[in-house]
Amino acid sequence: MSNQGSTFGLFQSTIVLEGQVRNRTRDLEAALRENEKMTRALQNAMERLEGEKEAQRQLLLKLEEAHVQLLQSEKLASIGQLAAGVAHEINNPIGFINSNLGTLSEYASALLKLIETYEMGEAQLRADPEFSARLDDVKKDADIAFAREDILSLLDESMEGTQRVRDIVQSLRDFSRPGEMGWEIVDVHQGINSTLNVVRNEVKHTAEVILEYGDLPSVECVPSQLNQVVMNLLVNAAQAIPDYGTITIRTSSDGDQVAIAVIDTGAGMAAETCAKVFDPFFTTKPVGKGTGLGLSVSYSIIERHNGRIDVQSEPGVGTTFTMRLPIRQTPAVELDGLSSGAC
């Protein structure tokens, strides 16, 4: 009986253990299936995440492309706005060159006639009183004394006029050259002078431009885009002056940075307006006078040059925009999408 009881107890224990093994096996199989399900869900989530990342990258590329096109459109709009003034600036010197050359042609004809007369009567000059009187008449008509002085003056003025035309055209060419994306080490003052030639007609009727140039080293930048910022600030300054005032361009250097300040004696702005001037499409000008992109574009350009641009203004006193730029850029500077676009 004792042996039978032991055998029965062992049998029961075996049954219990087998049940526990089956239960544990089912649990493990369920856990494995759950793990596989979670793994598949994780893989699907990762694939969706990769797809979302690619979609986001494509969206960013499209936004960047739209940004570049918008900035280029603003630049072309600014150049178009200045085109009539530039044409007027070119037309003035060409006009007096044509006038001077016409007068010079008349002088030359008179001088040639006088010389021809001299050649015809040189042998008779002393012997024939009648020819001598005729010679005097021709000489009087030619007004040799005046012509001799005026010819030189006309030629100097004409040469100055042609040089002005060359300067204006070259400045416009430097200002608008497209696709320039490389860094250059340039003379900032030369770029400012070129920009002044381009915007001369926009500025000369409203303000006297005062140049207070400091001793600046050459600066590493994208010249056409820095010129675009200067152009925007100059045009804004001129349009902010109600009657006639001054625009001062002041440059200085401090350590590894240079500063360019554009100071006007215009109407000035309230603090709440100053806080918005760099916002895209914000403008205080009437419809048709501004796009609201000039200062936003300028801010973007200076920021991508690792610099900053600040504004200080007081109603009735005037406004000062100050750009600060590093003299040399770090190698990691990115220029993707950098382009140019007045407030």
Side-chain angles (χ1 to χ4, degrees):
M1 290 295 292
S2 176
N3 288 337
Q4 288 179 349
S6 298
T7 301
F8 182 74
L10 181 62
F11 175 75
Q12 285 183 321
S13 297
T14 301
I15 295 300
V16 171
L17 287 173
E18 288 177 350
Q20 290 177 343
V21 169
R22 283 195 297 271
N23 291 336
R24 181 60 58 88
T25 300
R26 284 195 299 270
D27 292 343
L28 289 174
E29 288 175 348
L32 181 60
R33 287 193 296 270
E34 184 66 24
N35 184 58
E36 290 175 349
K37 187 186 298 184
M38 292 177 63
T39 301
R40 286 194 298 270
L42 180 60
Q43 289 175 341
N44 292 335
M46 291 180 65
E47 290 174 358
R48 287 196 301 272
L49 182 60
E50 288 296 327
E52 290 174 358
K53 284 184 177 179
E54 178 62 22
Q56 186 180 36
R57 191 180 71 85
Q58 293 297 330
L59 180 59
L60 288 173
L61 288 175
K62 290 180 181 179
L63 288 174
E64 188 68 24
E65 182 179 354
H67 180 64
V68 172
Q69 292 175 352
L70 180 64
L71 297 185
Q72 185 63 19
S73 297
E74 169 63 16
K75 180 176 182 178
L76 292 175
S78 299
I79 294 174
Q81 181 182 355
L82 296 171
V86 172
H88 178 73
E89 286 294 309
I90 293 176
N91 189 58
N92 277 344
I94 289 295
F96 67 68
I97 288 172
N98 286 335
S99 177
N100 289 350
L101 292 178
T103 305
L104 186 59
S105 178
E106 294 176 3
Y107 288 161
S109 298
L111 289 173
L112 290 174
K113 184 177 180 180
L114 176 62
I115 292 172
E116 182 183 0
T117 305
Y118 270 118
E119 289 175 344
M120 290 173 54
E122 184 176 0
Q124 308 172 25
L125 185 59
R126 295 181 179 276
D128 189 345
E130 182 179 349
F131 183 80
S132 180
R134 179 187 171 191
L135 191 60
D136 289 340
D137 290 341
V138 173
K139 186 176 180 180
K140 181 179 179 181
D141 290 341
D143 198 355
I144 297 299
F146 175 77
R148 184 180 291 114
E149 295 179 2
D150 205 31
I151 284 176
L152 296 177
S153 176
L154 289 175
L155 288 175
D156 289 342
E157 190 176 348
S158 298
M159 292 176 65
E160 179 186 352
T162 55
Q163 186 60 47
R164 280 179 57 188
V165 171
R166 293 180 61 186
D167 291 344
I168 292 169
V169 172
Q170 183 62 44
S171 296
L172 185 59
R173 181 182 176 186
D174 292 343
F175 177 81
S176 60
R177 49 185 170 182
E180 180 186 287
M181 296 299 291
W183 295 101
E184 295 183 35
I185 298 176
V186 299
D187 181 352
V188 171
H189 294 155
Q190 183 177 354
I192 294 174
N193 292 337
S194 294
T195 305
L196 281 171
N197 279 333
V198 174
V199 302
R200 185 185 304 276
N201 194 67
E202 291 286 323
V203 174
K204 67 180 183 181
H205 299 296
T206 58
E208 175 190 3
V209 178
I210 300 173
L211 301 179
E212 297 182 358
Y213 287 167
D215 185 14
L216 293 191
S218 296
V219 174
E220 187 174 7
C221 65
V222 180
S224 66
Q225 293 171 1
L226 186 58
N227 292 347
Q228 177 77 13
V229 176
V230 174
M231 187 276 290
N232 287 341
L233 297 182
L234 286 173
V235 171
N236 281 342
Q239 293 177 349
I241 297 174
D243 297 316
Y244 193 85
T246 62
I247 299 174
T248 302
I249 303 176
R250 181 178 299 148
T251 64
S252 60
S253 61
D254 181 14
D256 59 353
Q257 287 192 330
V258 298
I260 306 169
V262 178
I263 308 159
D264 68 64
T265 57
M269 297 178 290
E272 54 269 23
T273 303
C274 285
K276 299 178 182 178
V277 291
F278 296 118
D279 293 347
F281 304 108
F282 176 79
T283 180
T284 59
K285 299 174 186 175
V287 175
K289 279 295 257 182
T291 63
L293 283 174
L295 290 178
S296 175
V297 167
S298 299
Y299 187 91
S300 176
I301 290 173
I302 297 303
E303 187 177 51
R304 295 192 184 203
H305 276 70
N306 286 329
R308 72 178 193 270
I309 180 169
D310 303 313
V311 57
Q312 291 181 326
S313 188
E314 184 177 345
V317 177
T319 302
T320 299
F321 284 92
T322 304
M323 297 174 279
R324 291 179 175 83
L325 296 167
I327 296 173
R328 292 292 180 271
Q329 295 291 334
T330 59
V333 169
E334 292 290 341
L335 279 175
D336 292 342
L338 183 59
S339 184
S340 348
C343 168

